Amino acid sequence: MVITLPPREPSCPEGPRKDPGEESARMPPTQAESVIKNIIREIGQECAAHGEIVSETLVAFMVKAVVLDPSNGFNTDRTLVKGDVQKLVKLCVTRLLDSKNPSLDTIKMQVYFDMNYTSREEFLEEHHRVIESRLSSVSREITDSRACVREELESLYRKIVSYVLLRSGLGSPTDIKIVREATAALQSVFPQAELGTFLTLSKKDRERQLKELTMIVTGIRLFNRDCGKGGEGIDDLPAILQEAIPATTQHVDSQLEVVQDQAYRYTAILEKVAENPLLSQELQPYMLKEALYNVRQYEFFLQIILSDIITCAQEVEMMIKQLGAQLEQLQFTVKSKTAVPTSQVFPIFIALSNLWTSFQDEAVLISILSNLSTHLEPFLGTHELFFPEKVMQALLDGVTVKTDACRMKEHIEERVNPADFRKLEWLFPETTANFDKLLIQYRGFCAYTFATTDGLLLPGNPAIGILKHKEKYYTFNTRDAAYSFAENPENYIDKIREKAKKNAELIQLLELHQQFETLIPNSQMKEVDKHYIKPIAKCESSTQTDTHLLPPTIVRSYEWNEWELRRKAIKLANLRRKVTHSVQTDLSHMRRENCSQVYPSKDASTQSKREASSQVPRPQIYVAGFRGGHTKTTCEIKVNLTRAIDEI
C-alpha cells in the first residue's frame, strides 16, 4: 500500500493558502513521497512540543497503522484531502502521546528492536567496516608518506607502531610500556632499515603489508604473553568471555521466565473472560489483550537474543580449543631455538591474530546483546500501572494458570484424521521430514482461537496436525479447533487480518508481513523468501542397480609406464641368450617327479558265424504199485519212458 498525502503548507502572511486537495490529483509520485516525509516531520515536531521525542521510524509506522485501522475511516484507494491529513496528524499525535497504552509500548519496542538488532553476520561486517573507517586516516598518512630524511623515517616508523596497536586493539598507543613492546616485536620482523623498500611499494601493496605486519606483531605479542615474557595491556579475553557469557545467559533466562509467567497469567484471565462474557463488563479485556501482546512480543525478542548468545558461547568454546592448539604448535616449533624460519612461524602468528580478532568480535557482540535486552525492559512499564500484583491476584482467584507446555500435554493424544478431509492436506511428524522447520502462520498460535475470541493467543500443538492451506501452515490447540477452522479457512484468516488492522502491533507479532507489505521491518526484509519452506514428505522406497551395467574393459596386460615396458623388453631379449640347466644330486635323485602313460582298458566283444544250440532227452521214469493192491505184498513196477537221442 502506498499512502499519497497532499502538501501541508506553512502559514504565509502574504496571501491566502491554496486548497491542497485541488493540487493533490496532479501531484507526481516523487512529490507525494516528499509530502509524506513532511507530514512525518510535522508529527514529530508536534510530539516534541509536548515533551515527547519520537523517531521518524516510529512516526512512519504509526501513520501507516492509523491509516490501516478501519475505525478511523481512511480510504487508501483515493488521495487524502486536507481534512484527512489534519485528522491523520491529530490521531497520530494523540496515540504517540498516550503514555498509558500497552499497544504503543509494544510498537515502540518493535521499532527499537528493528532499528538496533541485526543478524550476526551483518553486525560483524558493520563492526569491521567501522574499524576500517576509523583507521583510514592513520593508514592514509602512512601509505601517502614520501619520507626521505632520517627524522621523517623515524616519525613514519612510530606511526606504523601506532597503527599496529590501534588495529590490533591490544593496548593504547599512549602507554610507553605497550609502545616499547610493540616496537620490539615489529623490529624483529620489520626493522627500520627496510622502510626504504616499503616506500617503493604501491599504495595497495603498502596497505596489504601494513595489515600483514599487524597480524604478525599481534601473534608475537600473544605468544610472548603466553610465555610470560610480555603481553602488556592485553586482556584475557577467553577468561572474560567465559565469565560474561554465562552471566548474560542467566540474566536473559531470568527475564524470560518472568515474562513467560506474566503471559501465562494474562492468558488464564482472558480464557476465563472468554468462557464467561459477563466478566467482560467488569474487566477491560482489550487492555488485558494489549498487555498480553506486549509480553509475548518481549518474550520473542528475548528468545532471539538468547539464541544469539548461545551461538556466541559455542563459537567461543571452539575458538578456545583452537587457540590452545595454535599456541602448543608454536611452542613446539620454537622451543629453545634462537632462529626459526619465517615460513614456519609467520602463518601461526597470523592464525593467532585472527583468533584474537574473533574473540574481540564475540566480546563486542555479547555487549551489544546484553545492552539490547536491558533497553527492552522499559517497554514493560505499563503492566505495573494497570495490573499491579494485588489486581492480578484478585483476577486470578479461582483460575488455574497453565504453561504452554501444559496446554500441549493436555491434548497430546488428540489427532486429526486426514480421511475426514479429502481436499485438505495435513502434515504429521512421521510423514514429513522437515516437520520442525516449517514456518507456522501466526508464530505458532492457534488461528481458530485467535479469530473466534477476538485476539486471544493460545499456542498451537503441531502434534495434532498441521494444516496446509494455499502453501501456508496452521496449527491449533485442540482437534475441535482444527476441524472448525478447516471447514472455512478463509473466513477465519479474514477475521485475523481485520483484527491486525485494529492492533498494528500484531502485524509483527504474528508475522503478517506478506499481508501488510508496507509494514515489514528492516530486520526481516531479507527473510521474506524464507517463508516458502515446503514440506518434505517421507515414504518407504528402495532402489536397485546393477553392479556393472557394461562388461569390464580393463586390459590387465596394459602398462602405462614406458620404463616398465623397457624393463620387460630387455628381459625378453636377454632370455634369447639364456639356457636352462638342471642338476641332480644324491639327495635329490629319489625325489624327482616321474610320470608314465598307459592305455585305459576298454570293453571288447566277438561274434561267430551262426548261432547253434544242443538238446538232450529229458529223463522220464514211471513207477507203479506204491499205493498197494489186493495182495499183502507190494509189487512195484518201474518203467523207463525216456526217449532215445536219435528220436528227438
Side-chain angles (χ1 to χ4, degrees), residues 17 36 104 106 119 128 141 147 170 191 206 240 262 289 321 323 389 470 474-475 482 497 533 610 617 642:
R17 304 179 188 174
I36 295 176
L104 179 61
T106 306
S119 64
H128 294 159
E141 290 181 6
L170 302 182
R206 292 183 189 181
I240 294 174
Q262 205 166 4
K289 290 175 184 177
K321 295 180 181 179
L323 180 64
E389 188 62 26
K470 293 184 177 180
Y474 303 86
T475 57
R497 186 186 298 110
I533 300 178
R610 64 183 178 87
T642 304

Side-chain angles (χ1 to χ4, degrees), residues 40-96:
I40 292 174
R41 190 179 301 110
E42 182 178 350
I43 295 174
Q45 293 173 355
E46 290 283 343
C47 293
H50 290 80
E52 185 72 19
I53 305 300
V54 293
S55 64
E56 290 188 359
T57 306
L58 177 61
V59 176
F61 189 96
M62 186 59 67
V63 168
K64 296 175 182 179
V66 169
V67 172
L68 284 176
D69 191 348
S71 62
N72 294 327
F74 290 102
N75 186 359
T76 58
D77 295 332
R78 64 177 179 83
T79 303
L80 301 180
V81 296
K82 178 181 177 181
D84 294 334
V85 173
Q86 294 176 348
K87 179 181 178 182
L88 176 62
V89 172
K90 182 178 179 180
L91 289 174
C92 290
V93 172
T94 302
R95 291 194 60 177
L96 289 171

Side-chain angles (χ1 to χ4, degrees), residues 322-333:
Q322 294 177 354
L323 180 64
Q326 293 290 348
L327 290 173
E328 183 178 354
Q329 181 183 358
L330 193 56
Q331 290 280 5
F332 178 78
T333 303

